[in-house]
Amino acid sequence: MLLKILGIMVVIWLALAVLGAVFEFLGTALVIGAVVVVGMVTYSAVKAGRSRRSIGR
């Protein structure tokens, strides 16, 4: 009975460890993705601002 309880606890601990690693990776990927998207939008805005001509000239 004791080994069964310990086995269940080990399985739950391993599942939580795997989920923690997955969420840590997803959090890191989310931050990196956000930085890349903001950088691309900023670059596009700066590039479009330089090539835009004034109206009436």
Side-chain angles (χ1 to χ4, degrees):
M1 182 69 177
L2 181 62
L3 287 177
K4 195 175 193 180
I5 293 172
L6 286 175
I8 291 171
M9 289 174 63
V10 167
V11 168
I12 291 172
W13 176 70
L14 286 173
L16 289 175
V18 168
L19 282 174
V22 167
F23 281 119
E24 183 177 350
F25 170 75
L26 288 176
T28 304
L30 180 66
V31 169
I32 292 171
V35 168
V36 168
V37 167
V38 168
M40 288 176 59
V41 168
T42 304
Y43 175 75
S44 297
V46 169
K47 188 176 177 185
R50 287 183 183 169
S51 64
R52 196 181 305 173
R53 295 184 180 183
S54 299
I55 298 174
R57 286 189 179 185

